[in-house]
Amino acid sequence: MLLEVNQATKLYKRGTEEFKAVDNASLSLNPGEYAVINGQSGSGKSTLLAIIAGLLNLDSGQASFDGTDIGTLGDKKLSALRNEKIGFIPQGQCLLSNFTIIDNVALPGLLAKRKNSRERAKALLDRLGIARLANQYPARLSGGEIRRAAIARGLINEPKLVVADEPTSDLDPANSLNIFELFNEIALSGAAVLVVTHESQKPNGCHKRYLMNDGVLLLES
Ligand SMILES: Nc1ncnc2c1ncn2[C@@H]1O[C@H](COP(=O)(O)OP(=O)(O)OP(=O)(O)O)[C@@H](O)[C@H]1O
Ligand SMILES: [Mg+2]
């Protein structure tokens, strides 16, 4: 198993009240598996992805990647894991404003000392239809163009696991389809893909669909 989340619970406080943002959630993905998570706003999807990306600690349960408990890793190992093995595409704007688009996309590759990062970045920008914007700064881009650049950045190191949080929420139908097709190709090439989306139709090639409701995760199909 590449990713295994076991009875994960994350508590948050709202005022004096504590609630379970993620409630005893279990999920597993093999290499090459492609899964989506649906669920209403506020149901805990981003919290779950942040746990998988090692950005949040659990109150109980476990999340492991390639047999290693993510919660036991120190900062340095966690950063390396996130940079090299897990391609995390967060929900919000995450590009560095003083870097050009190509530099933003190539940066994780440079940090991992991987060769040909700029070439791979160019190819990804091309695949996502924004190659002409390579030398622009994020402030000059539209929301959907920024989103696509963030997706390219998450894929630059050819991660074993892609974790994407509503990657198509600000894209038109044709661009959304292109992203879901790219995820399908990535899964076919052997990586695992986990996508939070409000699209209720299973995308082409998708193996399983989870539904999150009030922190509770259910395998739907
Ligand atoms: N740091 C925090 N402290 C307290 N509550 C939080 C915190 N972060 C998120 N929450 C709450 O936890 C719940 C789950 O949030 P989360 O961002 O995981 O939802 P989501 O399913 O991703 O929603 P959306 O579809 O709107 O992105 C929400 O009710 C939110 O208000
Ligand atoms: Mg969210």
Side-chain angles (χ1 to χ4, degrees):
M1 204 63 74
L2 184 70
L3 173 69
E4 195 149 24
V5 179
N6 228 327
Q7 301 186 310
T9 295
K10 177 72 192 174
L11 300 170
Y12 274 143
K13 275 200 175 125
R14 193 176 282 137
T16 53
E17 230 170 86
E18 212 168 42
F19 70 100
K20 291 174 180 169
V22 174
D23 185 357
N24 208 27
S26 297
L27 167 159
S28 58
L29 279 181
N30 279 309
E33 249 186 325
Y34 180 7
V36 294
I37 303 177
N38 292 155
Q40 283 184 348
S41 178
S43 60
K45 307 178 299 295
S46 295
T47 306
L48 178 64
L49 294 199
I51 289 163
I52 292 168
L55 295 166
L56 277 179
N57 288 324
L58 282 170
D59 289 287
S60 63
Q62 255 192 344
S64 45
F65 180 82
D66 235 352
T68 303
D69 184 341
I70 296 170
T72 64
L73 294 175
D75 274 356
K76 221 171 158 185
K77 283 194 171 162
L78 211 48
S79 302
L81 175 74
R82 208 158 38 233
N83 191 49
E84 293 162 35
K85 307 266 173 69
I86 300 178
F88 181 49
I89 301 161
Q91 188 168 17
Q93 206 302 77
C94 59
L95 299 182
L96 300 171
S97 56
N98 53 345
F99 278 54
T100 61
I101 294 305
I102 183 105
D103 286 345
N104 262 289
V105 174
L107 186 62
L110 300 177
L111 291 174
K113 299 193 168 59
R114 290 193 54 165
K115 287 187 183 141
N116 307 325
S117 292
R118 283 185 78 85
E119 285 72 18
R120 274 202 317 285
K122 266 191 190 139
L124 277 165
L125 291 177
D126 194 38
R127 175 67 209 276
L128 298 174
I130 48 171
R132 68 185 186 289
L133 301 171
N135 296 315
Q136 299 293 326
Y137 288 88
R140 292 273 182 96
L141 269 61
S142 75
E145 289 162 350
I146 285 178
R147 168 95 352 232
R148 283 179 278 163
I151 294 168
R153 195 184 68 169
L155 302 176
I156 189 71
N157 283 340
E158 300 166 293
K160 284 185 173 185
L161 170 66
V162 175
V163 178
D165 199 348
E166 299 193 30
T168 62
S169 58
D170 33 25
L171 295 180
D172 57 88
N175 270 303
S176 295
L177 190 63
N178 187 32
I179 300 298
F180 283 115
E181 274 308 313
L182 179 57
F183 288 155
N184 185 25
E185 285 166 28
I186 289 169
L188 287 170
S189 76
V193 180
L194 181 62
V195 186
V196 163
T197 174
H198 288 293
E199 303 269 345
S200 54
Q201 285 255 18
K202 252 197 204 169
N204 187 27
C206 173
H207 300 103
K208 48 188 182 182
R209 175 173 169 258
Y210 289 91
L211 187 64
M212 197 147 200
N213 187 15
D214 258 346
V216 177
L217 190 69
L218 280 179
L219 181 60
E220 279 268 301
S221 57

